[in-house]
Amino acid sequence: MDLGLAGKRAFVSGSTQGIGYAVAEALLREGAAVVVNGRDEERVAAAAERLRAVVPGAEVTGLAADLADAGQTQRLLERLGDVDVLVNNVGTFEVKELADLTDEDWQRHVDLNLMSGVRLSRHLLPRMLAAGWGRVLFVGTESAVDVPAGMLHYGATKAAALALANGLAKLTRGTGVTVNTVLGGPTYSDGVAGTVRHLAEQQGVPEEALKAAIIGANRTTLLERFLEPAEVAHLVVYLASPLASATNGTALRADGGVLTTTV
Ligand SMILES: NC(=O)c1ccc[n+]([C@@H]2O[C@H](COP(=O)([O-])OP(=O)(O)OC[C@H]3O[C@@H](n4cnc5c(N)ncnc54)[C@H](OP(=O)(O)O)[C@@H]3O)[C@@H](O)[C@H]2O)c1
C-alpha cells in the first residue's frame, strides 16, 4: 500500500531513540523528509546518520533542542520552517509514589509532556490550516486513560495532552488538517529497556526475566508481551498519511489490548 507520504515534510519530537526514532524511520521508508530531534547535537546527528544507513536515500536532518524549554523550542521553530506533519512524540516518565512526587517532578512532566505539544502545535498548526493540509499526531499512552497509581504525574500530564489534541482538532473544521492521538501501551523502547536493564542489574536478575515478570504482572494485556516501537509507529504513520483523511479528533490504540473498554 502506498501511503502517499512521498514529498511530505515531517518533524518528530524526541526521535533520537525509542518510539520517536521508529516513527522517523517509518516515515522515511514512506518517502517523507524527516527532521529528527533530541536534546544533544551529537545524539541527533548520530540518529540521523543511523537513519540514513537503514533507509537508503533518506532525506533526514536534525535539530537539537530541549523541548521542555520555551526559549529553545522557539529557536528550534525558527530554524524548522513549515512542515506537513508534526509528531508530538517527546515525553518523560518515571515510577514515583504520590508522597515522593515534588512540585519539581510535576513541573518537569508538565513542561515536557504537555507544554512541548502546546508550543509546537501553536506555531505549526496555523500554518497547516493556512496551507489547507496537515497532520498533527500525539504519541499518547493508555496511562492517560487508566492512570497508574505509581505514575500520577505521568498519567495526568498525558491526559492533559490527550485533551489538548481533542481541542486542537476542533480548529481544523472544514480543512484538510487532522489532529489525532495514538494511545501506545507498554513498549520496549530504548528508554524502557534502559530502566529495566538498570533494575535487573540492581536486583541481580537477567533482563529477560524481569521483562517477562513486568508484563506478566499486567493483568489486562491481550498481547502478553511488550510492544516493539515500530508497532506503535506504524499506526502513527498511517494517521500521518493522506489515506487517514476521515480520522480526526480521535485517539486510536496501539496498546496491545491493555485498555479493557472500547471507548
Ligand atoms: N515506552 C512506553 O511503554 C510508552 C507507552 C506509551 C506511550 N509512550 C510515549 O511514547 C513517547 C516516547 O517514549 P519512549 O519510551 O520511546 O521514550 P525514550 O525511549 O525514553 O526516548 C525519548 C526520546 O525523547 C528525547 N527527549 C527526552 N527529553 C527530551 C527533551 N526535553 N527535549 C527533546 N527531546 C527529548 C530523547 O532524546 P535525547 O535523550 O537524545 O535527548 C529520546 O529521543 C512518550 O511520549 C511516551 O509517553 C511510551
Side-chain angles (χ1 to χ4, degrees):
M1 188 188 281
D2 177 6
L3 294 183
L5 278 162
K8 303 289 188 201
R9 186 165 187 265
F11 174 73
V12 186
S13 70
S15 43
T16 61
Q17 64 174 35
I19 295 170
Y21 179 89
V23 170
E25 181 179 339
L27 284 167
L28 288 164
R29 288 193 189 282
E30 291 300 318
V34 178
V35 182
V36 292
N37 156 259
R39 288 162 289 188
D40 177 77
E41 295 277 357
E42 279 181 23
R43 278 177 57 76
V44 169
E49 199 56 43
R50 281 203 313 280
L51 287 163
R52 262 178 229 114
V54 293
V55 187
E59 214 182 307
V60 54
T61 53
L63 284 176
D66 181 342
L67 296 179
D69 182 278
Q72 289 196 36
T73 306
Q74 185 53 36
R75 286 191 286 284
L76 173 138
L77 286 167
E78 283 160 13
R79 292 168 68 197
L80 178 63
D82 288 347
V83 295
D84 305 293
V85 176
L86 163 64
V87 183
N88 287 306
N89 165 76
V90 78
T92 187
F93 42 85
E94 65 185 341
V95 178
K96 212 168 187 184
E97 297 303 320
L98 174 63
D100 300 327
L101 281 172
T102 63
D103 281 5
E104 288 70 28
D105 292 326
W106 279 97
Q107 194 59 52
R108 198 161 33 82
H109 280 65
V110 169
D111 287 344
L112 195 60
N113 295 353
L114 176 62
M115 291 310 295
S116 65
V118 169
R119 293 182 182 121
L120 293 169
S121 307
R122 181 174 59 201
H123 182 87
L124 294 169
L125 179 61
R127 283 160 173 76
M128 293 180 191
L129 294 172
W133 196 91
R135 296 283 182 262
V136 178
L137 277 313
F138 284 77
V139 178
T141 166
E142 101 280 2
S143 300
V145 180
D146 186 16
V147 178
M151 299 175 86
L152 293 176
H153 56 334
Y154 177 59
T157 52
K158 294 298 277 192
L162 184 61
L164 171 68
N166 179 273
L168 289 173
K170 309 233 165 66
L171 302 174
T172 68
R173 190 176 291 275
T175 74
V177 182
T178 66
V179 183
N180 290 294
T181 296
V182 169
L183 297 176
T187 306
Y188 220 60
S189 64
D190 298 281
V192 168
T195 305
V196 172
R197 220 166 282 139
H198 178 69
L199 289 172
E201 265 171 35
Q202 275 184 345
Q203 296 171 20
V205 296
E207 177 186 345
E208 281 307 312
L210 186 59
K211 186 180 170 186
I214 291 169
I215 210 69
N218 187 314
R219 284 163 307 182
T220 58
T221 173
L222 298 177
L223 219 52
E224 294 196 327
R225 63 168 173 80
F226 276 97
L227 306 179
E228 291 301 322
E231 293 178 287
V232 180
H234 291 153
L235 183 53
V236 174
V237 170
Y238 164 70
L239 289 170
S241 79
L243 266 54
S245 49
T247 305
N248 196 5
T250 195
L252 298 183
R253 297 179 196 169
D255 70 342
V258 163
L259 290 173
T260 54
T261 56
T262 50
V263 284

